[in-house]
Amino acid sequence: MADKNKVSSPDHSRRRFLKYTGTAIGGAVVGGVVGSAFSGGFGKKQAAPAPAPSTAPQTAADYNQAPMFFNQAQLQLTEAAAERIFPKDENGPGATDLGVVFYIDHQLASPWGVNSREYRTGPFIKGEVTQGDYQSINRHELFTMGLQSMEETSKTKYSKSFIDLTPEEKDAILTSMEKGEIMVINGITGKTFFNLFCRLTMEGVYCDPLYGGNKNMLGWKMRKYPGNQMTYASIMEKDQFVVMDPRSLHDHFAH
């Protein structure tokens, strides 16, 4: 009579353990190889391997093109106004295609947007023409308040949002801003906002793409500007103007 307390042989127990743990875990080695061996899988027809992923080149997403400060409405207003300041024409792309709105957004989201490196203690008084204003509000506050004034003026004058205006109507609003005819906040007119907007727009057109604007260096290419070249030694003695493919700071990154 067989002994009821007889323990299974170590080899049998180990094989059974490998078989069932392989099934439970589904591991590539235990479940896929050893598990198949103990379940008679080596004699079975194997399923066709999955097709290899496509190696066709894909356009890489530009993850720098994303808002960090603006909400969606502010982003659209800024883009619409910047396009009127630097519009697309026969010479090349405008502010929208150059990603200027993202340059402005990233600047306002940075320490520069809160005047972090400037003296910020009063008294805050209106300066002379040669001095400029010393404002109690930060740049990002001035900008968002300016956008709000621009939008409110548009709705009052044309009964629609600034982004829905015709190019001529947008220009009329911006001209009123430039002349200081629209008030942003007590003591600050639209002229201060407009000057800041123009400066940021032009910076976004011609900055290094690292900062969010000048997409694909198209702003530099329109001007035949070489960008960030390491050296000009090869062309210094040439008499004619040499057009060089522009380079950005990214091009000098060793990857």
Side-chain angles (χ1 to χ4, degrees), residues 26-250:
V29 175
V30 175
V33 178
V34 179
S36 296
F38 288 114
S39 60
F42 283 144
K44 297 179 180 179
K45 183 178 180 180
Q46 300 296 317
S54 174
T55 58
Q58 297 181 353
T59 303
D62 187 352
Y63 295 104
N64 200 32
Q65 303 282 295
M68 300 169 62
F69 174 76
F70 290 137
N71 60 35
Q72 192 63 31
Q74 292 167 341
L75 191 78
Q76 292 175 341
L77 285 171
T78 302
E79 186 173 64
E83 183 66 19
R84 295 311 304 155
I85 294 172
F86 196 89
K88 179 179 180 179
D89 59 17
E90 66 277 3
N91 296 313
T96 299
D97 293 334
L98 290 170
V100 167
V101 67
F102 296 109
Y103 170 82
I104 296 175
D105 172 87
H106 296 178
Q107 291 300 305
L108 295 178
S110 74
W112 180 87
V114 294
N115 304 60
S116 65
R117 296 187 179 183
E118 298 178 10
Y119 179 79
R120 299 299 295 158
T121 302
F124 299 97
I125 59 176
K126 184 174 178 58
E128 300 296 332
V129 176
T130 56
Q131 294 176 317
D133 294 337
Y134 182 54
Q135 300 154 8
S136 60
I137 61 175
N138 294 323
R139 291 188 185 96
H140 70 161
E141 295 171 320
L142 168 61
F143 204 93
T144 54
M145 289 179 181
L147 291 176
Q148 182 177 352
S149 296
M150 187 175 70
E151 178 74 343
E152 290 174 352
T153 302
S154 175
K155 290 182 177 179
T156 299
K157 188 173 182 178
Y158 299 106
S159 300
K160 52 187 176 181
S161 172
F162 182 85
I163 61 176
D164 297 323
L165 300 180
T166 65
E168 294 74 21
E169 291 170 340
K170 290 176 182 176
D171 291 347
I173 297 289
L174 292 173
T175 299
S176 295
M177 281 282 186
E178 183 180 17
K179 292 179 178 179
E181 297 172 350
I182 299 174
M183 186 64 65
V184 173
I185 193 173
N186 291 339
I188 301 177
T189 67
K191 182 176 182 179
T192 302
F193 163 70
F194 181 82
N195 290 341
L196 176 63
F197 201 130
C198 279
R199 190 178 82 191
L200 288 172
T201 298
M202 299 311 293
E203 288 177 2
V205 170
Y206 297 117
C207 69
D208 191 286
L210 165 71
Y211 299 102
N214 190 17
K215 188 173 183 180
N216 297 325
M217 297 181 283
L218 293 175
W220 289 348
K221 291 176 182 178
M222 284 191 289
R223 292 283 186 175
K224 296 182 173 58
Y225 178 67
N228 192 285
Q229 300 286 338
M230 292 296 287
T231 178
Y232 297 95
S234 61
I235 65 170
M236 287 177 60
E237 297 184 1
K238 294 186 177 181
D239 295 329
Q240 71 276 20
F241 179 78
V242 178
V243 178
M244 306 175 69
D245 290 333
R247 304 192 72 190
S248 72
L249 292 171
H250 172 78

